[in-house]
Every structure is written in C-alpha cells, then in structure tokens.
Amino acid sequence: METEYDKALSEIKEKCLKCHKCPLGETKTNTVFSGGVPNSKLMLIGEAPGYYEDMQGEPFVGKAGQLLDKILGCVGFSRKENIYICNTLKCRPPDNRDPLPDEKLACSEYLDAQVKILQPRIILLCGRVAVHSFIDTKLGITKIRGKWFEGPYFSKMMPIFHPSYLLRNDSREKGSPKWLMWQDIKEVRRVYDQLD
Ligand code: URA
C-alpha cells in the first residue's frame, strides 16, 4: 500500500523530472533524482550528475561512484540496503563545470524536499558543493571533513571528501586523503550503529 511518505516522494520526483526552472533542464539527457533506498537512516549528498550519471539517470555510477561504493561497502553500507544517495543538482552541468548559484537555488526545492520527506538521521555532505549548501563556512573541506554538525530535522551531518578528489590522490599513507576518508567512514559506521 502506498503511504503518505511514498506519495510525497513520488510527487516531488515527478515534478523534478519535468523541471525547467533552470537551463540545465534543456541540456540534460536524464534527470538524476536519487539512488539507493529511500527508507534509510543514512543519506549521502553529492555535487551534480556527470556524463555517466546523465546517461543512466543514476547518481554516482562513473569512476568516482565505483570508488564511493567500495568505500561504503568496506563498512557494510550499500545502495541496495541502507543508504539513499542524491545530488545538490539533479541535472548535469555542461562539461561538468561547477553548479552556478542560480542552478543551486532552482534545484534546492528538490533537495530540501528529499531531506524533509526522508528525514535521515545521518547526512554525509560529499565534497565542497554539498557542504556549502548546508554549512555556512569559509573553511575548506580539508578543515571540516570528519566533523559532526547539527543538520536539519535533528540529523547529524558530516562533510566528507568527494571520491573524485580521492581518485586524484592515490596515496594510502597515514594522513593522506584516502586514509582520512577511511577514518571518517569508520566514524560514520560507529555512530550509525548507535542509532535507535
Ligand atoms: N559526482 C557527484 O557529485 N555526483 C554524481 O552523481 C556523480 C559524480
């Protein structure tokens, strides 16, 4: 049976799929609304769809997405079971350029609705663009990654590195971006396991 929750989510998704509030609605191939399971305690918010995501209509399916799945999988998180994944923008910016302020503003209706309807307990802000959509700070991601912040609807939010940054930094040595990501994801799992 369809619940109020399912109905609210499918209504906002339908609206998003038809959206032309910004010019990206004209240039995209597919809208990338979300992946993973809606009824999750854990939500991950990335930046915007890239080439492969735009082709397939799924978030994080390219190289960065494959690395992300590996990292999440190391602590037992998977999009089939326990995580909901979406992006700040639902349509691909041409040539993967940074989202423009007007595009973020136009798309915030959808992201805000996803957070309000799903009310995840933990929100992972993956990369600079997602961080700046929720946290008003001049500090770079290297300064605030791995720290907990109060999020909307009594959630806990943590900024984490974007996997494409990790792809450019291969070292696994102590203190390297990959090593720091490993500490962060273990901390997320620890707090997740304490949720009631
Ligand atoms: N990078 C993102 O931030 N999101 C995606 O869906 C793919 C790559």
Side-chain angles (χ1 to χ4, degrees), residues 57-140:
E58 271 284 314
F60 284 104
V61 288
K63 265 201 168 174
Q66 287 161 22
L67 176 58
L68 179 66
D69 280 345
K70 257 197 204 166
I71 294 164
L72 295 170
C74 281
V75 291
F77 293 133
S78 84
R79 19 181 135 197
K80 283 209 177 96
E81 263 181 304
N82 46 20
I83 185 164
Y84 181 85
I85 300 181
C86 60
N87 280 310
T88 309
L89 293 194
K90 312 309 186 201
C91 293
R92 182 190 182 209
D95 304 318
N96 299 345
R97 62 154 170 73
D98 275 2
L100 301 175
D102 281 356
E103 293 162 355
K104 288 208 279 184
L105 184 65
C107 222
S108 63
E109 175 187 357
Y110 307 114
L111 182 58
D112 291 349
Q114 284 170 309
V115 173
K116 184 173 181 190
I117 295 164
L118 302 171
Q119 300 201 7
R121 308 285 300 280
I122 297 175
I123 300 177
L124 300 180
L125 301 170
C126 187
R128 170 177 52 85
V129 170
V131 167
H132 290 140
S133 300
F134 287 87
I135 300 172
D136 185 17
T137 179
K138 290 205 165 45
L139 294 173

Side-chain angles (χ1 to χ4, degrees), residues 126-158:
C126 187
R128 170 177 52 85
V129 170
V131 167
H132 290 140
S133 300
F134 287 87
I135 300 172
D136 185 17
T137 179
K138 290 205 165 45
L139 294 173
I141 186 132
T142 46
K143 292 264 172 354
I144 57 171
R145 54 129 282 279
K147 295 193 180 4
W148 289 110
F149 291 79
E150 277 178 29
Y153 308 101
F154 305 103
S155 61
K156 282 170 168 284
M157 286 189 308
M158 183 193 279

Side-chain angles (χ1 to χ4, degrees), residues 46-50 53 59-60 87 162:
E47 178 175 327
E53 292 76 23
F60 284 104
N87 280 310
H162 195 283

